[in-house]
Structures are given as structure tokens and as C-alpha cells.
Amino acid sequence: MSNTPPADIKFRTQSQLGEVFAALDSGTGREVRRMLSTLSPQSIAQLLESSPPRIRQVLWKLIDKEVEGEVLQELTDDVQSQILATMDTEEMVAVMEGLDADDVADILQQLPDRVMAEVLSAMSETDRQRVESVLAYDEETAGGLMDTDTISVRPNLTLDVVLRYLRRHEQLPESTDSLFVVNRKGQYIGLLPLSKLLTTDPSVTVREVVNTDVEPIPADMSDTEVARLFEKYDWITAPVVDSNNRLLGRITIDDVVDVIREGADHSLMSLAGLDEEEDTFAPVRRTARRRALWLGINLLTALLASWVISLFQDTLDKVVALAILMPIVASMGGVAGSQTLTVVIRGMALGQIGRSNLNWLLSRELGSAVLNALLWSLVMGLIAGLWFGDQRIALIIVAAMVINLVTAALAGAILPVALRAMRIDPALAGGVALTTVTDVVGFMSFLGLATWYFG
Amino acid sequence: MSNTPPADIKFRTQSQLGEVFAALDSGTGREVRRMLSTLSPQSIAQLLESSPPRIRQVLWKLIDKEVEGEVLQELTDDVQSQILATMDTEEMVAVMEGLDADDVADILQQLPDRVMAEVLSAMSETDRQRVESVLAYDEETAGGLMDTDTISVRPNLTLDVVLRYLRRHEQLPESTDSLFVVNRKGQYIGLLPLSKLLTTDPSVTVREVVNTDVEPIPADMSDTEVARLFEKYDWITAPVVDSNNRLLGRITIDDVVDVIREGADHSLMSLAGLDEEEDTFAPVRRTARRRALWLGINLLTALLASWVISLFQDTLDKVVALAILMPIVASMGGVAGSQTLTVVIRGMALGQIGRSNLNWLLSRELGSAVLNALLWSLVMGLIAGLWFGDQRIALIIVAAMVINLVTAALAGAILPVALRAMRIDPALAGGVALTTVTDVVGFMSFLGLATWYFG
């Protein structure tokens, strides 16, 4: 059911959303139901994702029963679990009928263990077995991504036999671009691309044309590693095997695209202390609760910076210009550091940065920091000198900015690598750690130099 | 040539990079050449992306001539243009031979106009025409993404004839999962999936099985829109047509994955004032130059904040505790605002946010901000009261934090939408604009209330 008719290809969520909201407002559920029935499951899912919680619940009730499962599997984890929370076991089993095993497994993992067990035991024997074979693997591995719906052939058959075998199928599994060649024990030998099948003399055997170059993916490979391989080699499907090289299933590009999207979103969202699966339209209380911890952590680091300032309160009392200028030193350090941090975090996510090139990167960042520190500290020194008519303040801010911008570059490059070595997510912790460093060093260097200078 | 043998599937760039660097150090170019010859073009490209500039130039010279083109097309724009800068016209033409028209067009667009014209005129007539048909479209549209290498069939043929026609091909174009059905004028009618071709009785005609549900993509659709459609409908290939519905070519998922990756990276990199195409290993001077402007803009906003502080210097002179606490008010506003900003920017990138749900989002953000503002301002008020033994300071910081956190939520939600309406990239300008607001409002509210209170 992929390649679903996008009768609504030029459809824009936003205008559609406006119409649906208007129809809901005027209270005509029937009209909304009609509008929804003209949309593909993917468009309905996008509509749900773009709706505030109450409207989302109303819309869900107006969807055709037959497409509910397909809509559900398109939703992000957070929204899925909100909708599942309103269903009983029977409804869940009905909704998941006809979905691929990997999609059912994804959905089930949003449920509490007890409910998951209930749903599984209410499924048909074959369905349960297929889903359980996927559930046996961690969600974030190749096994958790794979679908068990494959077509495999033996190497001794002629292509003619394969062609006749295929013709007995009503249709092939979604996104099938290759058949899998396996031996008698079900062990993976290689691929037989459909395009090869169509362009080769039917009298030759599978063995003569099998493509053995593509190594299969072990079921325990991490999903980000899988995504990197797909991205690198432009795969559409790839075989997944167990530790005995037995074919377990296949991974298709549509599931990998989700992994790529989530991985890229992860860096962005984590830098603000957010989760990439977060529902854009989560209700007030959930939103407030999820963000509270992050704000609390940042309050602690801000208090640390304030404590550093308090060490120099006698100097601040004497020269009020210092209080006026000190945020500039801290802020410029923060901005410079976050540029380095972002480049390094992205480079690490792309697998580019490691021991062999870290030193080069560090010295490049240092070099770049020195050049920009000299440029902008001199500009700032000139401004400060003119503003307060005091050369000493100008000299102090120049020195403090150079110190803080160079520290910022070092911290921005070293922190993510060090955090990763400590198995802490650099995207999540890097930003806070960096700001702490640039604030503390910024205030310390500026006020410290001033205390020493002004006595 | 896709699905290239990943003899190195378990290959890790980092360990490989270490070995290559070691071999380069010991001066044995032949050893490095041998190592490179065992790698796929994709792995060599990743090695080049992960190398500092000088090593990158040395490695490039050691690559087999035959794979140079494939390696080049895998590189990011920034790295491509560095390598092209070392070649003459003849070398460029040789390198690009055998690549897909869309990949050649991508590479050519890295060159100055004069050089591009030279390379084009040195190409064979057919190659030039195919590349020029892609170059006619903006790089960031469906036309710029498409490949002209398609197989199309007429509706009146029987599948048997189609099968015999395919069998005359040595191989089908990469990632072919469907043939395109066109009329006599070359106008697009629908798709004939290979899997359909393999599972249907060969005596029926194309007309009877053609899938007319998939609307073709207009050549001038933006690449992000194309990516959204692929992501939504799990497409592998899609047809591209001109304004008369004539089939121009097809877009394949591998090029779309790059668009998705770049789009997601764009938000992350732009928030730090960086370009998503930026070479992680750009040399010092280029890095410093690219970042200088961003630091300059931030210096201006920091100066604005300092000017706000200077308005209250008499009060600061009287109560030094204010100087110690004021960064906390500004910093908490910045953190709270950046959480809202990130959620809204991501939601906009996913096409979820528009006029119909903006109000809901705004009130959700306000609600969440009020809750967290009350929590953390009271905590902070308590700390300030205990620290300075002064209830007035405690009251002032509570009020200022509530004002700034609520302002931050409003600014974080409204700024990106307003910037987009002004056709300014919200990911690029949003962060700076937000910090300016939270700094100015933070200092203004805290010091303003203090001035009014302490008189």
C-alpha cells in the first residue's frame, strides 16, 4: 500500500488545516469526514501532527476505520502513544491488522509492557510470530528496523523458473527491487536485482547472475550505522542476517529515511535540551514539565557565573563601567564557542572526526579564534576607550576578549569529544557545558584583570 | 554503478584514516594507493571529507583515474570546488565522463561561469545536451535534481513486448523500480512498476495495468517540497514533467536523501551562523573569514545590551548585588526562548505550523512559560534573599524573571514566523534576534524595577 495515490499532491497542509478547523468549528462532523476520506493516510497523519491535542482526538474519530492503521504508523512516537492511550486492546489489534511486522513492532513499543502482552496474545498466531521476531531486537538496531516480508530464491534455479514463480504472486512486497538468494539452510548468498532478472537470458541460473558483492547487515548493527550505509551506497533495500548468516528480513529505504531525519533533528533539538520525538503540539503541562529540568540546570550554571562575579564585588563597586561591559565578554565567548561546538557535533554525527584529525581541527579552531579575537577585541577596545574615556578599561577588555574567545574555541572543540568519551550525549550536554565555561572564564578574566589593574 | 561492492562494509572511517595518515607520514605513496584501490568510491569520498586540506590534495592525486568522477560526485559542494580548483578543463571533462547528467550539473555549478562554459563546449554533443537540459533548471528545484536517464513505454503495447524490449538492454538505469508510460507526444500518463510487470499476465496491454494515481512532479517545484513528498509517500523514483506534462526525467531517492540531510543540517548550522555545506576541515583563514561577520553582528547586539545596562549605572553604583544577579535574568530568558524557538523552527521545517494553529501554539508556549517562570523565579528569589539578606532584591528578581521568561516565549514563537513572512531565514536570524530581545528585556526589567524600587 505504499506509493499511495497522492490525489492531493499539490495539497498544502496549512490551507487544508484551515478548512478542516473551520468545518469543525461549524460543527459539521460529516463534512470533515468527507474531507478526510479524500486524503491519503500520509496526509491525514500530517494533519494530525499539525493539530492541537483536542482537535487531534476529534479528527482521529472521524477517520475511516480501514486507513486507521496506516495513519497510525505514519505518526511520530509521541503522537502515536497519545492516540493509543484512548483505545482498548481489541481496537488496537483491529487497527494494526494488515500492517508490516516492523511497523506493528514500532507501535507496540509505545505501549506499557502489560498492554503490549495483551495485544500480542489477541493477535493471530502467524502475525504474532512475525511481530515477535522483530520485537526480539532493540528498536534502535537493524533487527528492529527490518521487515520479515521477503522473497528468496535458490541459486540452482533458472531465471525462467524464478519468473514463473513470481508470476504466481498477486503482488510483490513493497519497495522490492531485489530478490534474496539463499542456500538450503536459509543462509544469505547474494542479491538478484529485478532489473537483472528483466535484462538477462531466462535460461541461465540464478547462481550465474547473483550479486555477491553486497554484504548483509548483522541484525545487531545500530540503526544510525545502517542509515550511514544506506546513505553512502544509495541502497533501496538491504538484507539482514543473524550471527549464523541466516536471512532474517530486509530493511527498506523508507524506514531509513526516518532514521536519517531523526538523527539530524536530534542534534538541533538536543542543543536546546529537547527530544527529537517531541510532539510540536504537546499540551501546556507536559511541555512545562519536560522543559523545567533544563531550565533548572541552566539556573545552576547561571548561579555559578554570578558567584564568580561576586568574587569581584569590591572592584565592581569602584568602577561601574565594568558591570556595563562584562556581559559583552561572556556573550562573545558564547557565540564563538557555539560555532566551534556546532561544527564539531555535526562532524561527529557524520563520522568525520576522530583521533587522527582532532589535533588538526583543534589547531584550525585555535588559529581562527586568534584571528577573530584580535579583530573584534580591538574593535571593542576602541569602542570602550571612546565610550568611557579610559584607556585602562580598553586594554582590559581587549585582553579578556582574547582570553575568552580562545578558551571558547578550545572548549567548543574538546568538550563534545570528551563528553562522547564519557558516553554523555554531546548534543545534549555540550551547549550547557560550553556556556558555563565561557561565562565563568569571561567574567573571571575581565573582572580579574580589572581587580589586578585597578588595585 | 550504484550499489557498489562495499567490500568495506564494516570499515570505520576513523581507523582507516589513521592507517592512511600513518602510511602518508612514512612517505610510501604506493602503499596508500594500494589501500585506496580496495575502497569503494563512497568510502574514498568519506576519507577525503574527513581529511585536512593538505592531506586531501595528496590523497586525491593517489586515487585511480577511473573512480575519480564517482568520488567527486559524492563530495559536498565545498570540497568539490576545492578539488576542481586544481584541475584544468581537459581533466574536468575526463573526470565527469560517465556520470549521470544531474551529477555533472551539480559539479559544474561549483565552477565560475567562464570555466563551466569551457567544460561544456569540450564535452560530446549528446552529453552536453543532456547536462544542459538539467542546467536549465535552478539547482534547488525538481528540474535540478532530476536525471534524464529514463525508460518509457507506450500504453498500447502488451507486457510481453515490454519484456522483450527490456531484455534488449544491457542493464536498466540505476534505481529503476518503474517504467514511465507516455503517449505519442511524450506526455506522462502513469507508472508501470517492475513488480507489476513481473506478476501480471504478459498478454495484457500496458494501458490495462498502468498506475495513473501518481501525479508527476512539475520541474519547477522546490527541492524541499520534493523531499517532503518522497518522505511522505515512501517513493523510490518519481517522474518530472514540464508545464505541458511532457516527461523530462525522474528523481531518485538517493538524491532526495541528500536534500533531507541538508535541510535538517541547515537548521542546526544556521542557528550558529554557519552554512550546512561548510567543509568541516576548511583552512584557518577561510574559517576565520566566514565566522567574522557573525561575531560582528553579535557584538552589535551585545553592545545594545550594554547600553541598556548603562542607563541604570547610578542604581548599579548604589547596589552592587544587582550587577551580580543581572546575568541570571538575561541567561534564563535566553535558554527558555531558545527552547520555544527550536520547537517552532523545527515545526516550520516539517510544514506543521501556519496561521491555523499558530495561536494555539502561542498560548501553549505562554502557558508553559508562566508555569516555569513561577517555579524558577521563586527558587531564584529564595536564593537571592538568602544570599544578600535583602527581601527587596528577592522580589525584584522574581518579577524580572517572570517578565523575561514570558517575553522569551512570545519572542521565540513569534520571531521565526515574522522573519519567514519577511523572507528572512528564521534559522539564521532567529537566534540573534531572540538573544537581543531576552538580553534587552532581561536587563531593562531587572535594573528598571530596581531603579524604581531603590529610587
Side-chain angles (χ1 to χ4, degrees), chain B residues 35-293:
Chain B
M35 288 166 74
L36 290 176
S37 70
T38 65
L39 299 180
S40 65
Q42 291 90 342
S43 293
I44 298 174
Q46 204 175 344
L47 215 55
L48 289 173
E49 295 270 356
S50 306
S51 298
R54 211 161 307 166
I55 296 184
R56 192 179 281 160
Q57 295 298 347
V58 175
L59 284 178
W60 176 257
K61 294 216 174 66
L62 296 173
I63 298 173
D64 278 350
K65 284 280 170 232
E66 299 97 76
V67 297
E68 277 185 353
E70 279 176 82
V71 172
L72 191 65
Q73 61 142 319
E74 297 284 337
L75 297 170
T76 53
D77 291 359
D78 208 4
V79 180
Q80 266 180 8
S81 51
Q82 287 166 36
I83 286 177
L84 288 170
T86 66
M87 294 194 219
D88 62 25
T89 311
E90 225 169 292
E91 286 172 313
M92 289 190 211
V93 174
V95 157
M96 293 182 219
E97 220 172 275
L99 296 184
D100 289 346
D102 59 332
D103 294 323
V104 173
D106 278 353
I107 295 172
L108 286 178
Q109 274 158 4
Q110 307 309 316
L111 298 170
D113 285 352
R114 194 184 47 78
V115 183
M116 195 206 284
E118 274 177 30
V119 175
L120 275 172
S121 66
M123 289 168 92
S124 77
E125 182 66 20
T126 30
D127 278 1
R128 181 168 65 245
Q129 278 176 358
R130 287 175 55 189
V131 172
E132 278 176 343
S133 73
V134 178
L135 279 175
Y137 298 96
D138 187 289
E139 202 182 353
E140 300 191 338
T141 63
L145 271 183
M146 77 181 174
D147 188 17
T148 50
D149 199 8
T150 58
I151 296 189
S152 48
V153 293
R154 295 282 173 77
N156 54 326
L157 303 176
T158 62
L159 297 192
D160 196 42
V161 174
V162 173
L163 286 168
R164 272 184 283 136
Y165 168 67
L166 289 182
R167 219 167 281 293
R168 271 188 275 140
H169 288 71
E170 267 294 297
Q171 57 179 31
L172 303 187
E174 261 177 53
S175 320
T176 296
D177 70 332
S178 294
L179 309 180
F180 297 108
V181 184
V182 297
N183 67 14
R184 207 168 287 222
K185 291 179 188 158
Q187 288 170 318
Y188 173 79
I189 296 173
L191 293 177
L192 175 57
L194 294 190
S195 56
K196 194 87 187 171
L197 192 58
L198 286 165
T199 52
T200 313
D201 174 6
S203 67
V204 308
T205 62
V206 170
R207 180 173 291 117
E208 293 170 76
V209 291
V210 60
N211 176 349
T212 57
D213 292 329
V214 176
E215 278 192 48
I217 294 177
D220 58 358
M221 183 182 268
S222 82
D223 60 353
T224 49
E225 189 74 14
V226 171
R228 224 178 274 167
L229 288 172
F230 266 79
E231 222 177 321
K232 195 164 155 181
Y233 296 111
D234 298 341
W235 289 339
I236 290 166
T237 56
V240 179
V241 294
D242 67 12
S243 53
N244 293 318
N245 201 33
R246 261 195 306 262
L247 183 70
L248 296 173
R250 62 183 184 127
I251 295 178
T252 51
I253 181 76
D254 53 318
D255 294 315
V256 173
V257 165
D258 295 342
V259 174
I260 293 172
R261 150 79 61 199
E262 277 167 29
D265 275 358
H266 174 77
S267 304
L268 174 70
M269 298 292 273
S270 295
L271 278 175
L274 301 163
D275 190 287
E276 67 272 16
E277 279 287 347
E278 175 132 353
D279 171 13
T280 306
F281 296 91
V284 171
R285 266 187 297 174
R286 177 137 35 106
T287 305
R289 208 178 325 119
R290 286 192 182 167
R291 297 195 193 163
L293 177 65

